[in-house]
Amino acid sequence: MAAEAGPHILLVEDDVDLAEWIADYLIGREFKVTTCHRGDEAVDLIQSLNPDIVLLDGMLPGMDGLDVCKTVRASFDNPIIMITARDEEIDEVLGLEMGADDYITKPVRARVLLARIRGLLRREDKSRAADKSSTNQLTDEQLESKGVLKFSGLVISEQARSVTLDGELIKVSSNEFDVLWFLATKAGQVVSRKELVSHFRGFDYDGFDRSIDLRISRLRKKLKDDSSEPYRIKTIWGKGYLFANDVW
């Protein structure tokens, strides 16, 4: 089922009644919604439709939601929100490790879901509207004035929302870029988990939210940091993270 309106959402949910309720709510707020009820069908739809955002249930017939996320993540850059009926940290962690951008738990609260969707779409809009001009020939002073941070071989462009390491373009998700930019603007300073969670998710850190930690874990891999003893994005135990400015 598809309904025409604004940004395109693919809703993958095997509970037909819940899917209809979510779809009706989002359509009433000027979203275009396509629904399907099987994981294997979702993979094909994500690849063919390239929706602006995917709402993906964790438990699906045909293919588990986690496997769907893992399968499409390499080629699908837009946000994925996992929906899980099991209010357990392990499911949330697995979803984020597979490449999901956010998660919500059932029972789904309509206003919370809408806020998460709009927040992720705002970040994507910034990325699509970015200036894609090259920064390779600019001086450090010009880079800084154009919203670009340079740390030796690492160049981060806020306008283009691009990351280049030793001349190689590093593919990062919108959420990963946001975390990297935030840390890089505070290079050499310890940034607490509480500050990160409050900034990106809009609520105080309760000691259990792992989404920021997992984004940083993925960034470390992509930026060729040492996962066992990180030295580029350091963990300062009991305090937070520190972006080192002299190791690039």
Side-chain angles (χ1 to χ4, degrees):
M1 179 191 74
E4 297 291 338
H8 188 187
I9 295 175
L10 175 62
L11 170 61
V12 189
E13 170 60 64
D14 65 332
D15 183 329
V16 176
D17 290 337
L18 177 60
E20 289 181 355
W21 176 78
I22 293 175
D24 287 345
Y25 178 80
L26 294 175
I27 291 167
R29 279 137 189 90
E30 301 186 348
F31 291 96
K32 173 183 176 181
V33 181
T34 299
T35 60
C36 77
H37 309 297
R38 293 181 57 88
D40 47 359
E41 294 175 0
V43 172
D44 293 335
L45 286 173
I46 291 169
Q47 293 172 342
S48 63
L49 298 177
N50 192 36
D52 296 301
I53 197 164
V54 175
L55 303 179
L56 181 61
D57 187 26
M59 298 294 291
L60 294 164
M63 180 182 289
D64 187 272
L66 294 174
D67 290 330
V68 172
C69 188
K70 183 179 179 180
T71 299
V72 304
R73 188 74 282 181
S75 59
F76 180 69
D77 294 329
N78 293 339
I80 297 173
I81 298 178
M82 295 290 300
I83 303 174
T84 176
R86 300 165 296 182
D87 191 9
E88 299 176 2
E89 183 183 5
I90 186 63
D91 296 317
E92 298 160 1
V93 169
L94 283 172
L96 292 165
E97 286 180 339
M98 293 298 182
D101 296 275
D102 207 345
Y103 62 85
I104 61 171
T105 56
K106 296 178 182 178
V108 176
R109 292 175 292 170
R111 293 178 63 184
V112 172
L113 175 62
L114 184 62
R116 298 284 179 85
I117 291 170
R118 286 177 170 168
L120 287 171
L121 289 175
R122 279 194 298 269
R123 294 176 191 175
E124 291 301 304
D125 286 342
K126 290 180 182 177
S127 179
R128 293 190 183 99
D131 177 11
K132 300 297 183 179
S133 61
S134 172
T135 62
N136 292 339
Q137 303 302 317
L138 300 178
T139 65
D140 289 348
E141 290 77 11
Q142 288 173 319
L143 288 171
E144 185 174 356
S145 70
K146 289 181 176 290
V148 177
L149 298 176
K150 185 175 182 180
F151 304 89
S152 187
L154 178 69
V155 180
I156 311 170
S157 170
E158 183 181 32
Q159 283 189 321
R161 294 180 70 80
S162 64
V163 180
T164 304
L165 180 61
D166 297 330
E168 177 187 355
L169 184 65
I170 306 299
K171 186 176 181 180
V172 298
S173 71
S174 180
N175 282 343
E176 290 165 359
F177 180 89
D178 290 336
V179 171
L180 179 61
W181 179 262
F182 189 77
L183 291 174
T185 59
K186 299 175 181 293
Q189 305 175 40
V190 176
V191 180
S192 69
R193 285 182 176 84
K194 180 178 180 180
E195 183 178 356
L196 284 164
V197 170
S198 178
H199 181 80
F200 289 110
R201 292 178 61 78
F203 51 78
D204 288 338
Y205 179 60
D206 60 6
F208 295 98
D209 192 283
R210 291 288 311 282
S211 60
I212 298 296
D213 299 321
L214 291 166
R215 289 178 206 173
I216 290 175
S217 177
R218 295 200 296 265
L219 280 170
R220 283 171 171 159
K221 293 178 182 177
K222 294 179 179 183
L223 297 175
K224 302 174 183 178
D225 203 350
D226 186 336
S227 59
S228 59
E229 294 185 17
Y231 63 96
R232 288 180 161 171
I233 303 178
K234 299 180 180 179
T235 298
I236 310 299
W237 295 108
K239 295 184 178 181
Y241 294 103
L242 183 146
F243 180 96
N245 56 11
D246 56 356
V247 293
W248 303 94

